[in-house]
Amino acid sequence: MIFYFSGTGNSKWAAKTLALETGDTLVSIPEVIKSDCSFTLEKDEHVGFIFPIHGWRVPNIVKEFLTKLTIKTLGEDTSHVKHYCFCLVTAGDSIGKAMERFQQQLKSVTVNDALSLKAVCSLIMPESYVGLPGMDVDTKEKELEKKELASKQLKEFSNILKQHPHKDSNQIWGWNQLIRGPIPSFFSGPVGGFFERFLITDKPFHVDSRRCVKCGICANVCPVSDIKGGLGFEPEWLHNGKCLTCFSCYHHCPHHAIEFGKRTQKKGQYFYNKLSKRN
């Protein structure tokens, strides 16, 4: 079973591709987060988590899901069964120490008794964060280059997972190959804290009425239902504290009518199934 979250489609592509290779069942975290998040697995079924990195940290929706997740195992005397677990993350550049944070969060929740993290992977995917000056989507050439390399790396990771490496040891496959970038503790620490406190917010989002055609796409793609709207209505952000600042609404708007303060003016748009709008 693969649990995944995706804003602009990079992690969704990875999850769907991996599921086809491994035969795993896909579960969208945003679609089940309001349920009791209880799942029943076969005795030998493995568990995967796939999500993007937000501010060099684990997205809030994934952290919330972990606290709610409960796992039951089919069969008799399965109280001590530990399922083989893997985690794959996507990022536009580097992940800092986000995987260390995920491992720590996994250990701190009840479900850890049922899971054993054995394999990890980071894929560098096309950039989608546009919330700061100087940060924009990749050029089409760089986007295609990243996708091609990520596709090869995902195939390799799929082949590794089928072998269940380190199943009976305390080692984690791929740990030393993660793309942590320079000074990872600084970026996942103080910089990540700044992101969570000041930049993960829906307050700067607004719509340009001159360009908005009231198609409702932004409300439909929001993973946390933070946008009031739909076909025939201009979007209104609810300011309910749920926004992930994943920029899914911004990138999916067909008329580029959504802005994030003044920070996204004249910047490009990107989601996985569409080439970036930047030369």
Side-chain angles (χ1 to χ4, degrees), residues 136-194:
D136 201 347
V137 299
D138 294 320
T139 62
K140 292 178 181 178
E141 291 75 18
K142 191 171 184 179
E143 176 187 328
L144 292 171
E145 182 182 322
K146 283 184 174 182
K147 283 181 175 179
E148 184 178 356
L149 179 58
S151 183
K152 293 177 181 177
Q153 293 172 332
L154 186 59
K155 180 68 176 179
E156 292 170 2
F157 188 59
S158 171
N159 291 334
I160 288 295
L161 288 180
K162 293 172 186 177
Q163 301 169 26
H164 283 189
H166 304 314
K167 182 177 181 180
D168 300 314
S169 74
N170 292 323
Q171 293 179 293
I172 300 176
W173 186 92
W175 191 259
N176 294 327
Q177 288 74 48
L178 294 171
I179 312 298
R180 293 182 172 88
I183 46 176
S185 295
F186 173 70
F187 280 100
S188 287
V191 178
F194 176 82

Side-chain angles (χ1 to χ4, degrees), residues 112-127:
N112 177 62
D113 294 336
L115 300 178
S116 181
L117 186 61
K118 294 298 182 182
V120 295
C121 179
S122 59
L123 296 179
I124 302 305
M125 298 293 293
E127 184 63 74

Side-chain angles (χ1 to χ4, degrees), residues 207-273:
V207 63
D208 185 336
S209 297
R210 295 168 301 175
R211 287 180 279 169
C212 180
V213 296
K214 303 179 182 179
C215 63
I217 290 175
C218 55
N220 291 336
V221 300
C222 179
V224 290
S225 302
D226 183 45
I227 300 175
K228 180 183 177 182
L231 184 61
F233 298 91
E234 281 194 7
E236 293 180 41
W237 283 262
L238 300 179
H239 309 309
N240 58 10
K242 294 291 186 180
C243 181
L244 302 167
T245 320
C246 65
F247 286 94
S248 184
C249 57
Y250 165 87
H251 288 295
H252 282 85
C253 178
H255 295 277
H256 211 319
I258 293 174
E259 301 286 5
F260 189 69
K262 294 184 179 180
R263 302 173 216 172
T264 51
Q265 290 181 354
K266 298 182 180 179
K267 289 187 177 180
Q269 292 174 287
Y270 163 83
F271 58 90
Y272 185 82
N273 291 322

Side-chain angles (χ1 to χ4, degrees), residues 53 56 91-96 124 179-182 187:
I53 298 303
W56 294 277
D93 188 353
S94 61
I95 72 167
I124 302 305
I179 312 298
R180 293 182 172 88
F187 280 100

Side-chain angles (χ1 to χ4, degrees), residues 8-66:
T8 54
N10 288 333
S11 294
K12 184 177 182 179
W13 161 78
K16 290 180 71 173
T17 303
L18 203 55
L20 285 173
E21 290 280 339
T22 61
D24 285 308
T25 301
L26 274 181
V27 177
S28 168
I29 291 176
E31 290 179 7
V32 299
I33 192 70
K34 293 181 180 179
S35 70
D36 62 3
C37 298
S38 178
F39 299 89
T40 302
L41 307 179
E42 300 286 346
K43 185 176 180 180
D44 296 320
E45 188 173 356
H46 58 227
V47 175
F49 296 90
I50 299 179
F51 52 86
I53 298 303
H54 284 180
W56 294 277
R57 292 187 176 188
V58 179
N60 288 332
I61 192 172
V62 176
K63 290 188 285 187
E64 180 186 351
F65 177 69
L66 286 175

